[in-house]
Amino acid sequence: MSPARDRPSRESVLDAFAVESEPDRSTLERYLRLYPEFAAELVDLSRELSRETVEDVAPLSTDDRALIDAAWSQHAKALPVAVSDPFAALTTDDWRTVAHQLDVPRQVITALRERRVSLLSIPRRFLQNLAVAMRCSVALLESSWGTEPPTAARSYKADNKPTEGGQVTFEQVLIDAGIPDEKRARLLAEAD
Protein backbone atom coordinates (compact mmCIF):
# COMPACT_ATOMS: atom_id res chain seq x y z
CA MET A 1 0.00 0.00 0.00
CA SER A 2 1.17 3.48 -0.71
CA PRO A 3 1.57 6.05 2.10
CA ALA A 4 -1.05 8.30 0.47
CA ARG A 5 -3.68 5.61 0.94
CA ASP A 6 -2.85 5.30 4.64
CA ARG A 7 -3.58 8.98 5.23
CA PRO A 8 -7.00 9.81 6.65
CA SER A 9 -9.33 12.07 4.70
CA ARG A 10 -9.75 15.77 5.45
CA GLU A 11 -13.19 15.11 6.97
CA SER A 12 -11.78 12.40 9.25
CA VAL A 13 -9.01 14.68 10.51
CA LEU A 14 -11.37 17.60 11.14
CA ASP A 15 -13.89 15.33 12.86
CA ALA A 16 -11.18 13.90 15.11
CA PHE A 17 -9.94 17.38 16.02
CA ALA A 18 -13.48 18.59 16.75
CA VAL A 19 -14.06 15.83 19.31
CA GLU A 20 -10.75 16.25 21.14
CA SER A 21 -11.32 16.74 24.87
CA GLU A 22 -8.85 19.65 24.97
CA PRO A 23 -8.80 21.45 21.58
CA ASP A 24 -6.15 23.90 22.83
CA ARG A 25 -2.95 25.23 21.27
CA SER A 26 -0.88 22.10 21.95
CA THR A 27 -3.55 19.87 20.38
CA LEU A 28 -3.70 22.14 17.32
CA GLU A 29 0.11 22.08 16.98
CA ARG A 30 0.11 18.28 17.16
CA TYR A 31 -2.53 18.05 14.40
CA LEU A 32 -0.64 20.60 12.29
CA ARG A 33 2.55 18.49 12.55
CA LEU A 34 0.69 15.29 11.68
CA TYR A 35 -1.50 16.74 8.92
CA PRO A 36 0.17 19.83 7.41
CA GLU A 37 -1.93 19.49 4.24
CA PHE A 38 -5.03 20.46 6.27
CA ALA A 39 -3.41 23.39 8.10
CA ALA A 40 -5.82 26.09 6.93
CA GLU A 41 -8.90 24.01 7.72
CA LEU A 42 -7.55 22.98 11.15
CA VAL A 43 -6.79 26.59 12.10
CA ASP A 44 -10.27 27.70 10.98
CA LEU A 45 -11.90 24.90 12.96
CA SER A 46 -9.78 25.70 16.01
CA ARG A 47 -10.90 29.34 15.89
CA GLU A 48 -14.51 28.31 15.49
CA LEU A 49 -14.34 25.93 18.46
CA SER A 50 -12.64 28.49 20.69
CA ARG A 51 -15.11 31.26 19.91
CA GLU A 52 -17.17 32.28 22.88
CA THR A 53 -20.87 31.90 22.50
CA VAL A 54 -23.01 34.65 23.87
CA GLU A 55 -26.48 33.69 24.87
CA ASP A 56 -28.80 36.59 25.38
CA VAL A 57 -31.27 35.43 27.98
CA ALA A 58 -33.08 38.74 28.22
CA PRO A 59 -36.60 38.60 26.80
CA LEU A 60 -37.38 40.57 23.66
CA SER A 61 -38.82 44.03 24.12
CA THR A 62 -42.23 44.95 22.76
CA ASP A 63 -40.54 47.03 20.03
CA ASP A 64 -38.33 44.07 19.05
CA ARG A 65 -41.35 41.79 18.81
CA ALA A 66 -43.21 44.37 16.71
CA LEU A 67 -40.26 44.62 14.31
CA ILE A 68 -40.02 40.85 14.00
CA ASP A 69 -43.78 40.53 13.43
CA ALA A 70 -43.72 43.26 10.76
CA ALA A 71 -40.82 41.62 8.95
CA TRP A 72 -42.50 38.23 9.12
CA SER A 73 -45.79 39.55 7.73
CA GLN A 74 -43.91 41.15 4.81
CA HIS A 75 -42.17 37.85 4.18
CA ALA A 76 -45.46 35.94 4.33
CA LYS A 77 -47.06 38.30 1.78
CA ALA A 78 -44.20 37.66 -0.63
CA LEU A 79 -44.68 33.88 -0.57
CA PRO A 80 -46.58 32.48 -3.56
CA VAL A 81 -50.12 31.38 -2.80
CA ALA A 82 -50.88 27.80 -3.69
CA VAL A 83 -53.70 27.54 -6.20
CA SER A 84 -56.14 24.77 -5.53
CA ASP A 85 -57.09 22.65 -8.50
CA PRO A 86 -60.89 22.55 -8.94
CA PHE A 87 -60.46 19.77 -11.50
CA ALA A 88 -58.87 17.44 -8.93
CA ALA A 89 -61.83 17.68 -6.56
CA LEU A 90 -64.32 16.08 -8.96
CA THR A 91 -65.04 12.39 -9.24
CA THR A 92 -65.88 10.45 -12.40
CA ASP A 93 -69.59 10.77 -11.62
CA ASP A 94 -69.14 14.52 -11.15
CA TRP A 95 -67.54 14.75 -14.59
CA ARG A 96 -70.47 12.89 -16.13
CA THR A 97 -72.81 15.37 -14.47
CA VAL A 98 -70.77 18.32 -15.75
CA ALA A 99 -70.86 16.91 -19.30
CA HIS A 100 -74.62 16.42 -19.03
CA GLN A 101 -75.21 19.95 -17.66
CA LEU A 102 -73.12 21.52 -20.43
CA ASP A 103 -74.64 19.22 -23.08
CA VAL A 104 -71.27 18.14 -24.48
CA PRO A 105 -69.67 14.72 -24.93
CA ARG A 106 -67.37 13.54 -22.14
CA GLN A 107 -64.35 13.72 -24.45
CA VAL A 108 -64.79 17.52 -24.49
CA ILE A 109 -64.82 17.54 -20.69
CA THR A 110 -61.76 15.29 -20.64
CA ALA A 111 -59.91 17.71 -22.93
CA LEU A 112 -60.85 20.57 -20.59
CA ARG A 113 -59.86 18.62 -17.48
CA GLU A 114 -56.46 17.76 -18.99
CA ARG A 115 -56.05 21.41 -20.05
CA ARG A 116 -55.50 20.42 -23.66
CA VAL A 117 -57.72 23.34 -24.65
CA SER A 118 -56.34 26.87 -24.87
CA LEU A 119 -58.05 28.92 -22.17
CA LEU A 120 -58.19 31.97 -24.44
CA SER A 121 -60.21 30.05 -27.05
CA ILE A 122 -63.03 29.14 -24.63
CA PRO A 123 -65.97 31.55 -24.86
CA ARG A 124 -66.60 33.46 -21.63
CA ARG A 125 -70.20 32.21 -21.39
CA PHE A 126 -69.10 28.57 -21.67
CA LEU A 127 -66.37 29.17 -19.10
CA GLN A 128 -68.95 30.64 -16.69
CA ASN A 129 -71.26 27.65 -17.23
CA LEU A 130 -68.33 25.29 -16.67
CA ALA A 131 -67.47 27.05 -13.40
CA VAL A 132 -71.10 26.78 -12.22
CA ALA A 133 -71.20 23.08 -13.12
CA MET A 134 -67.90 22.49 -11.28
CA ARG A 135 -69.10 24.51 -8.26
CA CYS A 136 -66.18 26.94 -8.34
CA SER A 137 -65.49 30.51 -9.45
CA VAL A 138 -64.36 31.52 -12.92
CA ALA A 139 -61.28 33.12 -11.35
CA LEU A 140 -60.28 29.84 -9.67
CA LEU A 141 -60.87 27.99 -12.91
CA GLU A 142 -58.70 30.46 -14.84
CA SER A 143 -55.91 30.45 -12.26
CA SER A 144 -55.77 26.65 -12.22
CA TRP A 145 -55.40 26.59 -16.01
CA GLY A 146 -51.89 28.00 -15.69
CA THR A 147 -50.70 25.09 -13.55
CA GLU A 148 -49.04 22.03 -15.01
CA PRO A 149 -51.46 19.66 -16.72
CA PRO A 150 -52.11 16.59 -14.60
CA THR A 151 -50.23 13.48 -15.55
CA ALA A 152 -52.90 10.89 -14.95
CA ALA A 153 -51.95 7.29 -15.48
CA ARG A 154 -53.64 6.14 -18.66
CA SER A 155 -53.26 2.99 -20.64
CA TYR A 156 -52.65 3.05 -24.37
CA LYS A 157 -52.40 0.38 -27.00
CA ALA A 158 -49.88 1.78 -29.42
CA ASP A 159 -46.56 0.89 -30.91
CA ASN A 160 -44.94 4.07 -29.60
CA LYS A 161 -45.18 5.90 -26.33
CA PRO A 162 -47.79 8.65 -26.64
CA THR A 163 -46.45 12.16 -26.81
CA GLU A 164 -48.06 15.16 -25.27
CA GLY A 165 -49.40 17.53 -27.92
CA GLY A 166 -49.84 21.23 -27.50
CA GLN A 167 -53.09 22.92 -26.65
CA VAL A 168 -55.79 23.20 -29.26
CA THR A 169 -58.71 25.58 -29.64
CA PHE A 170 -62.04 24.90 -28.03
CA GLU A 171 -63.64 24.87 -31.48
CA GLN A 172 -61.22 22.15 -32.64
CA VAL A 173 -62.13 19.99 -29.64
CA LEU A 174 -65.83 20.40 -30.51
CA ILE A 175 -65.12 19.48 -34.14
CA ASP A 176 -63.09 16.43 -33.07
CA ALA A 177 -65.98 15.38 -30.81
CA GLY A 178 -68.31 15.39 -33.82
CA ILE A 179 -70.62 18.12 -32.56
CA PRO A 180 -72.93 19.35 -35.35
CA ASP A 181 -72.37 22.85 -36.78
CA GLU A 182 -75.53 24.37 -35.26
CA LYS A 183 -74.80 23.11 -31.74
CA ARG A 184 -71.13 24.07 -32.12
CA ALA A 185 -72.11 27.62 -33.08
CA ARG A 186 -74.36 27.81 -29.98
CA LEU A 187 -71.53 26.59 -27.70
CA LEU A 188 -69.07 29.04 -29.24
CA ALA A 189 -71.42 32.02 -28.93
CA GLU A 190 -70.40 34.63 -26.34
CA ALA A 191 -73.98 35.59 -25.49
CA ASP A 192 -77.26 33.68 -25.18
Side-chain angles (χ1 to χ4, degrees):
M1 253 190 215
S2 68
R5 285 194 167 175
D6 294 338
R7 301 291 289 172
S9 68
R10 178 174 77 68
E11 289 78 21
S12 299
V13 172
L14 294 177
D15 287 342
F17 181 77
V19 297
E20 284 284 337
S21 59
E22 294 291 324
D24 55 6
R25 183 180 177 105
S26 63
T27 306
L28 176 60
E29 288 173 353
R30 180 169 43 94
Y31 271 81
L32 290 173
R33 275 191 312 277
L34 291 171
Y35 310 105
E37 65 271 23
F38 306 128
E41 291 94 340
L42 284 166
V43 170
D44 287 344
L45 181 59
S46 173
R47 286 182 181 154
E48 187 68 30
L49 293 173
S50 65
R51 184 185 309 171
E52 288 186 34
T53 58
V54 177
E55 292 188 29
D56 191 8
V57 293
L60 293 174
S61 70
T62 307
D63 292 338
D64 290 341
R65 287 188 184 277
L67 285 172
I68 292 170
D69 290 341
W72 181 251
S73 66
Q74 279 185 332
H75 174 70
K77 287 178 188 175
L79 293 174
V81 178
V83 177
S84 65
D85 184 6
F87 292 94
L90 300 178
T91 65
T92 305
D93 290 334
D94 293 334
W95 285 115
R96 285 187 191 113
T97 304
V98 169
H100 180 70
Q101 287 176 352
L102 297 175
D103 193 27
V104 293
R106 284 201 344 229
Q107 75 185 65
V108 172
I109 298 301
T110 300
L112 293 168
R113 183 182 70 215
E114 293 176 352
R115 276 86 141 199
R116 287 185 283 140
V117 180
S118 167
L119 178 64
L120 298 174
S121 71
I122 303 171
R124 191 75 180 162
R125 183 177 63 92
F126 186 87
L127 199 59
Q128 290 168 342
N129 292 339
L130 177 62
V132 168
M134 291 177 61
R135 297 178 300 277
C136 70
S137 69
V138 174
L140 179 62
L141 197 58
E142 289 173 334
S143 66
S144 72
W145 220 274
T147 60
E148 283 291 314
T151 54
R154 302 180 95 185
S155 61
Y156 296 90
K157 287 189 176 186
D159 292 335
N160 300 326
K161 184 178 179 180
T163 59
E164 195 170 314
Q167 290 185 330
V168 296
T169 64
F170 182 61
E171 182 175 18
Q172 185 61 50
V173 170
L174 297 177
I175 292 169
D176 292 347
I179 294 178
D181 293 343
E182 185 179 306
K183 185 175 180 181
R184 191 169 61 239
R186 183 174 44 83
L187 289 170
L188 291 170
E190 285 293 335
D192 288 324

